[in-house]
Amino acid sequence: MILLSKITVCIDPGHGGKDPGAVKGKRCEKDDTLRLALRVGKVLKANGLNVIYTRTTDRYDSPSKKAQIANKNKADYFISIHRNSTGNGTANGAEVLVYATGGVRVEIAKSIQKLFAKHGFNDRGVKARPKLTVLKKTTMPAVLCEVGFISNDKDSKLFDDKLIKIGDCIAKGFMDAVGLKFRSLPTILKSK
């Protein structure tokens, strides 16, 4: 039997502080990632997991520092949350990035990606990105979720309209992949 409280997930809201990430108008990636990361953490905590964050406010840490936070706290898993962007605004969809294909990180990525597609995002798949610092320097299985394109109005509307469902996609996708039973927050609250 797996003791859920012994499993620590480090959640990384991409960018922050002086680094806004992708920007469209007044919308900044750093704000979207923080909103979604806090939701994912709330759901994972309610499911009995231990959650730490690389940030919970609008603060900047380098990608290396974010990896160090996860490593120092001996996290068992690392989930980084981002939004994509292109100059012309036509690209859309969600994808999950991993350091290399193979292992539990790919199972987590596939499980999350499948749920993103089910909830309306164009399926851009799971891709290896070995040069991304937060994937390269973390010592635990790590994934980086690109939750739609901030440069695409349809993706941003989907992000806003389904923020809670998207948070559940990440939490459930992760828990399903590592063999843990997921319960939605409303279900947990009803049972108390």
Side-chain angles (χ1 to χ4, degrees), residues 39-119:
R39 176 64 191 186
V40 173
K42 183 177 183 177
V43 173
L44 290 177
K45 282 181 186 177
N47 273 278
L49 281 75
N50 184 36
V51 174
I52 59 170
Y53 299 91
T54 59
R55 69 181 180 99
T56 56
T57 60
D58 187 17
R59 183 186 86 216
Y60 175 78
D61 283 313
S62 70
S64 292
K65 173 72 173 172
K66 290 178 173 206
Q68 286 173 6
I69 290 168
N71 294 341
K72 187 179 103 180
N73 285 284
K74 296 182 170 62
D76 298 294
Y77 300 95
F78 182 88
I79 300 171
S80 189
I81 298 173
H82 288 257
R83 303 278 322 271
N84 237 328
S85 183
T86 58
N88 63 15
T90 58
N92 64 12
E95 61 191 8
V96 183
L97 310 177
V98 293
Y99 175 73
T101 55
V104 70
R105 67 181 160 243
V106 173
E107 296 311 310
I108 294 167
K110 285 179 181 176
S111 185
I112 292 170
Q113 184 62 29
K114 179 179 164 185
L115 292 171
F116 282 161
K118 182 179 174 185
H119 285 282

Side-chain angles (χ1 to χ4, degrees), residues 10-184:
C10 181
I11 301 175
D12 170 40
H15 308 284
K18 66 181 182 181
D19 175 12
V23 176
K24 182 173 182 188
K26 293 183 177 182
R27 187 175 196 133
C28 295
E29 180 180 5
K30 68 177 183 175
D31 300 324
D32 284 359
T33 62
L34 183 58
R35 280 192 305 144
L36 182 54
L38 293 174
R39 176 64 191 186
V40 173
K42 183 177 183 177
V43 173
L44 290 177
K45 282 181 186 177
N47 273 278
L49 281 75
N50 184 36
V51 174
I52 59 170
Y53 299 91
T54 59
R55 69 181 180 99
T56 56
T57 60
D58 187 17
R59 183 186 86 216
Y60 175 78
D61 283 313
S62 70
S64 292
K65 173 72 173 172
K66 290 178 173 206
Q68 286 173 6
I69 290 168
N71 294 341
K72 187 179 103 180
N73 285 284
K74 296 182 170 62
D76 298 294
Y77 300 95
F78 182 88
I79 300 171
S80 189
I81 298 173
H82 288 257
R83 303 278 322 271
N84 237 328
S85 183
T86 58
N88 63 15
T90 58
N92 64 12
E95 61 191 8
V96 183
L97 310 177
V98 293
Y99 175 73
T101 55
V104 70
R105 67 181 160 243
V106 173
E107 296 311 310
I108 294 167
K110 285 179 181 176
S111 185
I112 292 170
Q113 184 62 29
K114 179 179 164 185
L115 292 171
F116 282 161
K118 182 179 174 185
H119 285 282
F121 282 107
N122 177 37
D123 186 352
R124 296 175 58 88
V126 173
K127 300 173 182 169
R129 290 288 196 278
K131 293 184 180 178
L132 292 177
T133 301
V134 292
L135 299 179
K136 182 176 171 181
K137 293 195 173 183
T138 43
T139 57
M140 70 290 304
V143 298
L144 188 150
C145 302
E146 291 278 10
V147 189
F149 281 73
I150 204 167
S151 53
N152 182 283
D153 291 338
K154 183 181 170 197
D155 274 4
S156 287
K157 182 171 181 359
L158 187 60
F159 183 92
D160 292 337
D161 291 349
K162 293 195 171 184
L163 181 77
I164 290 170
K165 287 281 186 198
I166 294 165
D168 282 355
C169 288
I170 296 171
K172 179 175 173 30
F174 163 73
M175 291 183 72
D176 286 353
V178 298
L180 301 174
K181 182 179 165 101
F182 171 81
R183 294 188 311 152
S184 69

Side-chain angles (χ1 to χ4, degrees), residues 2-23:
I2 300 172
L3 294 173
L4 298 182
S5 62
K6 298 294 181 190
I7 295 175
T8 298
V9 181
C10 181
I11 301 175
D12 170 40
H15 308 284
K18 66 181 182 181
D19 175 12
V23 176

